Amino acid sequence: MSLAAYEQLVRLAERELELARAGRLEEVAALWAERDEHVASLPPRPPADARPALERAAALQQEITLVLAETAQAVTEELRRVDRGRAVARTYAPAGGAPSSTVDRSA
């Protein structure tokens, strides 16, 4: 197998990192299928001269993992804020849960 196949693996990882940094997570997930298919086409033992490309792909993958972990943390924090906001909003609901049918228009 030619080195081009390993260079393609690097290009896929670069694209995945670009998408992850841009927050385009659905496209990241779609790219995983392409990457998995590409990896499956590679021989079980790469040639020695593929090492630089594989090391670059591995470094990019570590960076992708960090970006996705940071994104997951940010989403988790946002969901917590939404939950707190909902809890606060519920404290303003009328007793019995029924909305008030009158509106004070005097203001």
Side-chain angles (χ1 to χ4, degrees), residues 92-104:
Y92 289 100
S100 174
S101 61
T102 60
V103 175
D104 182 1

Side-chain angles (χ1 to χ4, degrees), residues 63-77:
E63 198 167 344
I64 292 162
T65 299
L66 288 174
V67 169
L68 292 177
E70 290 169 359
T71 301
Q73 181 64 34
V75 168
T76 299
E77 290 171 9

